């Protein structure tokens, strides 16, 4: 283990505690990991996670929703939870998930409402893109198609009716195509509507009684247009990044507020810890993410000082460690006198705390003391 790197880690942890950081990182090595796990076991750290240049999603709890108001929750960290409002918005704009799909996935109603409000185009935006006209044109095309097919059925009925010789043949023809033009029109319409999407079939049925030449004058509502627009009703991720979202604050509508969508790998629960996988390609960029603890506004880890140094390595026997633990000096090494103070010892069995070394009657190299 490089004592130079260990000195850097001790200084970094001490400075991070003084700066009241909740999360910090150190380079990933086997010995750094052993030391971090020892500090976590002794109660100085709340968590030790393996990640990359950015912390893994598991470092962050569910937390309250980041609703872009003043809050004591770190801004943006709620977006790292796969059930946050930002995560629901990302699902809607990237994968066009419906509210029912979001609910089945596990999102709360608040997150679903947030995604619906900011992930879909408003009626004004849809009208600006010409969807009023497109909706009318769509219904007009379907109606025209029904009339065209119905006329073909009428001609087919007339042709086959002329060659029918018995009442049974006429009855079979009536059952197949319909006895009257109105019946044939209804049957064609039913067959064609059955091929449409449920939302499109619903809007077609809704305006089936409107004369075909009046479809362009109908004022279609947002639900009608959304049924025809399909996926086009959703905003794109690029539009959200460029234009932001509109939020309510103290009764005012504030547009163009930036929102950070979680990275896609944080959305898949199978990929939540993807950054914790070490490969030959990413080994150099792996880091240990450490959660610092505080009690009554004071850091639990306040000091971290080296004992052995690169220019002067010290070795202690189990007897020397016993004297240090009991409050006596062992050569140049001072005893453990601070409340909660520990000493990390590098042994042939890994990094241990001094008291554990005394119990097992093993010695080693004292690395640092922490309190």
């Amino acid at each position: 283990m490089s004592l130079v790197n260990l000195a850097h880690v001790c200084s970094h942890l001490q400075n991070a505690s003084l700066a009241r950081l909740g999360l910090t990182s150190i380079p990933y090595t086997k010995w750094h990991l052993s030391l971090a796990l020892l500090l976590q076991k002794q109660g100085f750290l709340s968590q030790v996670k393996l990640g990359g240049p950015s912390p893994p999603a598991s470092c962050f709890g569910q937390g309250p929703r980041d609703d872009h108001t003043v809050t004591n929750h770190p801004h943006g960290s709620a977006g790292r939870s796969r059930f946050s409002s930002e995560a629901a918005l990302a699902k809607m704009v990237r994968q066009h998930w419906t509210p029912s799909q979001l609910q089945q996935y596990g999102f709360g109603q608040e997150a679903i409402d947030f995604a619906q409000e900011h992930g879909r185009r408003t009626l004004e935006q849809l009208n600006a893109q010409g969807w009023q006209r497109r909706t009318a044109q769509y219904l007009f095309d379907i109606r025209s198609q029904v009339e065209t097919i119905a006329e073909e059925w009428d001609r087919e009925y007339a042709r086959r009716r002329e060659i029918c010789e018995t009442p049974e043949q006429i009855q079979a023809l009536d059952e197949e195509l319909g006895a009257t033009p109105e019946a044939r029109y209804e049957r064609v319409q039913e067959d064609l509507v059955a091929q449409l999407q449920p939302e499109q079939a619903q809007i077609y049925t809704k305006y089936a009684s409107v004369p075909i030449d009046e479809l362009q004058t109908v004022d279609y509502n947002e639900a009608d247009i959304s049924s025809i627009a399909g996926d086009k009703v959703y905003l794109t991720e690029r539009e959200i990044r460029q234009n932001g979202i509109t939020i309510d604050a103290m009764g005012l509508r504030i547009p163009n507020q930036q929102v950070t969508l979680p990275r896609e790998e944080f959305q898949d629960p199978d990929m939540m810890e993807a950054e914790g996988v070490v490969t030959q390609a990413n080994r150099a960029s792996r880091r240990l993410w450490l959660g610092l603890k505080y009690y009554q506004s004071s850091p639990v880890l306040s000091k971290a000082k080296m004992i052995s140094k690169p220019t002067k390595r010290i070795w202690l026997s189990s007897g020397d460690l016993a004297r240090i633990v009991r409050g006596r000096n062992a050569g140049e090494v001072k005893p453990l006198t601070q409340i909660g103070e520990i000493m990390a010892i590098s042994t042939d069995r890994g990094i241990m705390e001094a008291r554990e070394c005394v119990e097992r009657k093993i010695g080693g190299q004292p690395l640092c003391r922490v309190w």
Side-chain angles (χ1 to χ4, degrees):
M1 180 179 188
S2 173
L3 293 180
V4 175
N5 292 336
L6 178 62
H8 293 163
V9 169
C10 290
S11 298
H12 178 72
L13 291 178
Q14 183 172 307
N15 293 335
S17 295
L18 292 175
R20 298 299 193 271
L21 299 182
L23 192 67
T24 188
S25 67
I26 60 176
Y28 168 64
T29 66
K30 177 181 177 181
W31 290 105
H32 286 175
L33 177 60
S34 299
L35 178 61
L37 293 176
L38 174 64
L39 294 178
Q40 183 185 25
K41 180 180 178 181
Q42 297 297 325
F44 290 96
L45 301 177
S46 61
Q47 59 181 337
V48 178
K49 300 289 185 180
L50 176 59
S54 60
S58 59
C59 287
F60 302 91
Q62 176 72 17
R65 180 172 74 87
D66 186 356
D67 56 358
H68 310 283
T69 59
V70 178
T71 173
N72 59 359
H73 193 68
H75 180 78
S77 62
R80 292 186 177 273
S81 168
R82 67 174 186 265
F83 296 118
S84 67
S85 299
E86 288 80 1
L89 178 61
K91 285 287 188 185
M92 180 167 287
V93 300
R94 289 171 180 162
Q95 303 178 28
H96 302 159
W97 278 23
T98 62
S100 59
Q101 289 176 309
L102 293 174
Q103 187 175 17
Q104 292 176 0
Y105 187 76
F107 286 100
Q109 188 59 44
E110 189 177 19
I112 296 175
D113 294 340
F114 180 86
Q116 281 191 290
E117 179 182 359
H118 302 295
R120 296 168 61 92
R121 303 184 193 278
T122 62
L123 180 60
E124 292 75 14
Q125 291 173 325
L126 292 172
N127 289 339
Q129 294 183 351
W131 280 104
Q132 279 279 354
R133 177 183 54 80
R134 296 185 189 183
T135 301
Q137 186 63 42
Y138 176 83
L139 296 176
F140 179 85
D141 292 342
I142 297 296
R143 188 80 64 83
S144 299
Q145 188 176 358
V146 170
E147 293 181 354
T148 300
I149 297 176
E151 291 175 358
E152 293 178 357
W153 280 34
D154 290 340
R155 290 192 294 269
E156 178 67 13
Y157 180 85
R159 184 186 66 80
R160 294 172 59 180
R161 178 68 175 79
E162 293 178 355
I163 60 177
C164 290
E165 298 178 353
T166 63
E168 290 78 9
Q169 293 177 336
I170 296 176
Q171 183 179 0
L173 180 61
D174 292 343
E175 293 177 354
E176 179 183 355
L177 298 180
T180 63
E182 293 77 11
R184 289 189 286 274
Y185 184 90
E186 291 294 334
R187 187 168 298 182
V188 170
Q189 183 172 252
E190 291 177 1
D191 293 343
L192 196 58
V193 169
Q195 301 175 14
L196 301 177
Q197 297 292 334
E199 298 82 3
Q200 297 172 349
Q202 184 177 2
I203 185 177
Y204 176 84
T205 305
K206 178 179 178 180
Y207 295 100
S209 60
V210 178
I212 190 171
D213 55 348
E214 297 181 8
L215 290 175
Q216 294 288 349
T217 62
V218 175
D219 187 16
Y220 301 100
N221 58 35
E222 184 175 355
D224 298 336
I225 296 177
S226 299
S227 301
I228 304 302
D231 292 343
K232 300 296 184 181
V233 75
Y234 298 105
L235 293 170
T236 64
E237 185 173 359
R238 181 179 180 182
E239 289 175 315
I240 291 180
R241 293 186 186 278
Q242 288 180 343
N243 305 324
I245 62 176
T246 301
I247 64 173
D248 292 319
M250 301 179 66
L252 300 177
R253 299 280 291 176
I254 305 177
N256 304 325
Q257 296 300 301
Q258 295 299 316
V259 59
T260 302
L261 297 181
R263 285 162 46 177
E264 292 192 38
E265 55 264 31
F266 291 145
Q267 300 304 300
D268 188 348
D270 296 332
M271 296 293 292
M272 288 290 286
E273 300 301 329
E275 291 193 346
V277 179
V278 180
T279 64
Q280 290 295 333
N282 68 8
R283 179 179 293 274
S285 64
R286 298 304 88 185
R287 297 186 68 83
L288 292 173
W289 288 90
L290 313 178
L292 302 179
K293 298 173 68 174
Y294 300 88
Y295 178 72
Q296 294 183 349
S297 301
S298 298
V300 175
L301 191 158
S302 58
K303 297 291 183 180
K305 293 186 176 182
M306 292 289 296
I307 300 176
S308 291
K309 299 180 181 179
T311 57
K312 188 175 183 180
R313 298 176 182 268
I314 300 175
W315 300 90
L316 299 175
S317 65
S318 59
D320 295 333
L321 292 175
R323 286 192 292 272
I324 292 175
V325 169
R326 292 180 175 87
R328 299 179 182 178
N329 291 347
E332 299 180 5
V333 182
K334 296 181 179 180
L336 302 178
T337 57
Q338 301 291 334
I339 297 177
E341 184 179 2
I342 69 166
M343 182 180 294
I345 309 297
S346 176
T347 70
D348 55 356
R349 302 181 187 179
I351 297 180
M352 299 182 181
E353 206 276 323
R355 297 171 181 82
E356 185 178 0
C357 292
V358 173
E359 292 179 2
R360 299 190 180 189
K361 297 182 179 181
I362 56 177
Q365 181 183 20
L367 300 177
C368 61
R369 60 175 76 231
V370 180
W371 71 92

PDB file of all heavy atoms in Angstrom, residues 290-303:
ATOM      1  N   LEU A 290     -17.859   7.485  -0.600  1.00  0.00           N
ATOM      2  CA  LEU A 290     -17.995   7.344   0.842  1.00  0.00           C
ATOM      3  C   LEU A 290     -19.029   8.336   1.361  1.00  0.00           C
ATOM      4  O   LEU A 290     -19.005   9.521   1.004  1.00  0.00           O
ATOM      5  CB  LEU A 290     -16.650   7.599   1.537  1.00  0.00           C
ATOM      6  CG  LEU A 290     -15.429   6.885   0.935  1.00  0.00           C
ATOM      7  CD1 LEU A 290     -14.173   7.276   1.696  1.00  0.00           C
ATOM      8  CD2 LEU A 290     -15.626   5.379   0.942  1.00  0.00           C
ATOM      9  N   GLY A 291     -19.919   7.841   2.206  1.00  0.00           N
ATOM     10  CA  GLY A 291     -20.899   8.705   2.852  1.00  0.00           C
ATOM     11  C   GLY A 291     -20.411   9.119   4.233  1.00  0.00           C
ATOM     12  O   GLY A 291     -20.143   8.270   5.086  1.00  0.00           O
ATOM     13  N   LEU A 292     -20.259  10.414   4.450  1.00  0.00           N
ATOM     14  CA  LEU A 292     -19.774  10.928   5.731  1.00  0.00           C
ATOM     15  C   LEU A 292     -20.938  11.110   6.700  1.00  0.00           C
ATOM     16  O   LEU A 292     -22.069  11.388   6.291  1.00  0.00           O
ATOM     17  CB  LEU A 292     -19.045  12.258   5.520  1.00  0.00           C
ATOM     18  CG  LEU A 292     -17.853  12.197   4.551  1.00  0.00           C
ATOM     19  CD1 LEU A 292     -17.226  13.567   4.395  1.00  0.00           C
ATOM     20  CD2 LEU A 292     -16.821  11.201   5.045  1.00  0.00           C
ATOM     21  N   LYS A 293     -20.647  10.963   7.984  1.00  0.00           N
ATOM     22  CA  LYS A 293     -21.680  11.032   9.016  1.00  0.00           C
ATOM     23  C   LYS A 293     -21.472  12.267   9.895  1.00  0.00           C
ATOM     24  O   LYS A 293     -20.334  12.708  10.108  1.00  0.00           O
ATOM     25  CB  LYS A 293     -21.647   9.765   9.878  1.00  0.00           C
ATOM     26  CG  LYS A 293     -21.941   8.495   9.096  1.00  0.00           C
ATOM     27  CD  LYS A 293     -21.739   7.258   9.934  1.00  0.00           C
ATOM     28  CE  LYS A 293     -22.769   7.141  11.034  1.00  0.00           C
ATOM     29  NZ  LYS A 293     -22.651   5.855  11.760  1.00  0.00           N
ATOM     30  N   TYR A 294     -22.594  12.768  10.416  1.00  0.00           N
ATOM     31  CA  TYR A 294     -22.564  13.946  11.281  1.00  0.00           C
ATOM     32  C   TYR A 294     -23.519  13.719  12.445  1.00  0.00           C
ATOM     33  O   TYR A 294     -24.549  13.050  12.307  1.00  0.00           O
ATOM     34  CB  TYR A 294     -22.957  15.206  10.499  1.00  0.00           C
ATOM     35  CG  TYR A 294     -22.024  15.490   9.344  1.00  0.00           C
ATOM     36  CD1 TYR A 294     -22.262  14.929   8.084  1.00  0.00           C
ATOM     37  CD2 TYR A 294     -20.899  16.273   9.513  1.00  0.00           C
ATOM     38  CE1 TYR A 294     -21.392  15.155   7.032  1.00  0.00           C
ATOM     39  CE2 TYR A 294     -20.024  16.515   8.465  1.00  0.00           C
ATOM     40  CZ  TYR A 294     -20.279  15.951   7.228  1.00  0.00           C
ATOM     41  OH  TYR A 294     -19.412  16.176   6.193  1.00  0.00           O
ATOM     42  N   TYR A 295     -23.152  14.297  13.582  1.00  0.00           N
ATOM     43  CA  TYR A 295     -23.991  14.178  14.774  1.00  0.00           C
ATOM     44  C   TYR A 295     -24.059  15.541  15.451  1.00  0.00           C
ATOM     45  O   TYR A 295     -23.023  16.117  15.803  1.00  0.00           O
ATOM     46  CB  TYR A 295     -23.415  13.137  15.739  1.00  0.00           C
ATOM     47  CG  TYR A 295     -24.209  12.983  17.017  1.00  0.00           C
ATOM     48  CD1 TYR A 295     -25.454  12.359  17.010  1.00  0.00           C
ATOM     49  CD2 TYR A 295     -23.722  13.473  18.225  1.00  0.00           C
ATOM     50  CE1 TYR A 295     -26.186  12.219  18.173  1.00  0.00           C
ATOM     51  CE2 TYR A 295     -24.446  13.340  19.398  1.00  0.00           C
ATOM     52  CZ  TYR A 295     -25.682  12.708  19.366  1.00  0.00           C
ATOM     53  OH  TYR A 295     -26.412  12.576  20.517  1.00  0.00           O
ATOM     54  N   GLN A 296     -25.280  16.048  15.577  1.00  0.00           N
ATOM     55  CA  GLN A 296     -25.503  17.364  16.173  1.00  0.00           C
ATOM     56  C   GLN A 296     -24.643  18.432  15.491  1.00  0.00           C
ATOM     57  O   GLN A 296     -23.928  19.211  16.132  1.00  0.00           O
ATOM     58  CB  GLN A 296     -25.226  17.331  17.677  1.00  0.00           C
ATOM     59  CG  GLN A 296     -26.211  16.465  18.452  1.00  0.00           C
ATOM     60  CD  GLN A 296     -25.965  16.488  19.948  1.00  0.00           C
ATOM     61  OE1 GLN A 296     -24.940  16.994  20.409  1.00  0.00           O
ATOM     62  NE2 GLN A 296     -26.906  15.947  20.709  1.00  0.00           N
ATOM     63  N   SER A 297     -24.689  18.419  14.171  1.00  0.00           N
ATOM     64  CA  SER A 297     -24.001  19.399  13.318  1.00  0.00           C
ATOM     65  C   SER A 297     -22.483  19.297  13.377  1.00  0.00           C
ATOM     66  O   SER A 297     -21.784  20.190  12.889  1.00  0.00           O
ATOM     67  CB  SER A 297     -24.426  20.834  13.679  1.00  0.00           C
ATOM     68  OG  SER A 297     -25.819  20.993  13.528  1.00  0.00           O
ATOM     69  N   SER A 298     -21.960  18.236  13.964  1.00  0.00           N
ATOM     70  CA  SER A 298     -20.511  18.049  14.024  1.00  0.00           C
ATOM     71  C   SER A 298     -20.139  16.769  13.289  1.00  0.00           C
ATOM     72  O   SER A 298     -20.866  15.773  13.362  1.00  0.00           O
ATOM     73  CB  SER A 298     -20.033  17.962  15.477  1.00  0.00           C
ATOM     74  OG  SER A 298     -20.309  19.169  16.160  1.00  0.00           O
ATOM     75  N   PRO A 299     -19.019  16.773  12.571  1.00  0.00           N
ATOM     76  CA  PRO A 299     -18.621  15.564  11.841  1.00  0.00           C
ATOM     77  C   PRO A 299     -18.198  14.455  12.790  1.00  0.00           C
ATOM     78  O   PRO A 299     -17.536  14.703  13.802  1.00  0.00           O
ATOM     79  CB  PRO A 299     -17.454  16.042  10.976  1.00  0.00           C
ATOM     80  CG  PRO A 299     -16.912  17.238  11.680  1.00  0.00           C
ATOM     81  CD  PRO A 299     -18.082  17.890  12.350  1.00  0.00           C
ATOM     82  N   VAL A 300     -18.609  13.240  12.483  1.00  0.00           N
ATOM     83  CA  VAL A 300     -18.172  12.088  13.271  1.00  0.00           C
ATOM     84  C   VAL A 300     -16.687  11.845  13.051  1.00  0.00           C
ATOM     85  O   VAL A 300     -15.946  11.522  13.975  1.00  0.00           O
ATOM     86  CB  VAL A 300     -19.005  10.842  12.890  1.00  0.00           C
ATOM     87  CG1 VAL A 300     -18.486   9.601  13.615  1.00  0.00           C
ATOM     88  CG2 VAL A 300     -20.476  11.073  13.217  1.00  0.00           C
ATOM     89  N   LEU A 301     -16.236  12.001  11.813  1.00  0.00           N
ATOM     90  CA  LEU A 301     -14.815  11.879  11.493  1.00  0.00           C
ATOM     91  C   LEU A 301     -14.243  13.297  11.432  1.00  0.00           C
ATOM     92  O   LEU A 301     -14.452  14.023  10.462  1.00  0.00           O
ATOM     93  CB  LEU A 301     -14.623  11.157  10.157  1.00  0.00           C
ATOM     94  CG  LEU A 301     -13.219  10.712   9.773  1.00  0.00           C
ATOM     95  CD1 LEU A 301     -13.287   9.587   8.736  1.00  0.00           C
ATOM     96  CD2 LEU A 301     -12.373  11.846   9.223  1.00  0.00           C
ATOM     97  N   SER A 302     -13.538  13.689  12.479  1.00  0.00           N
ATOM     98  CA  SER A 302     -13.012  15.055  12.531  1.00  0.00           C
ATOM     99  C   SER A 302     -11.522  15.127  12.222  1.00  0.00           C
ATOM    100  O   SER A 302     -11.046  16.121  11.682  1.00  0.00           O
ATOM    101  CB  SER A 302     -13.273  15.672  13.907  1.00  0.00           C
ATOM    102  OG  SER A 302     -12.685  14.880  14.932  1.00  0.00           O
ATOM    103  N   LYS A 303     -10.777  14.079  12.566  1.00  0.00           N
ATOM    104  CA  LYS A 303      -9.339  14.076  12.331  1.00  0.00           C
ATOM    105  C   LYS A 303      -8.908  12.727  11.764  1.00  0.00           C
ATOM    106  O   LYS A 303      -9.450  11.678  12.140  1.00  0.00           O
ATOM    107  CB  LYS A 303      -8.565  14.336  13.629  1.00  0.00           C
ATOM    108  CG  LYS A 303      -8.811  15.704  14.259  1.00  0.00           C
ATOM    109  CD  LYS A 303      -8.211  16.820  13.422  1.00  0.00           C
ATOM    110  CE  LYS A 303      -8.413  18.171  14.112  1.00  0.00           C
ATOM    111  NZ  LYS A 303      -7.842  19.281  13.305  1.00  0.00           N
TER     112      LYS A 303
END
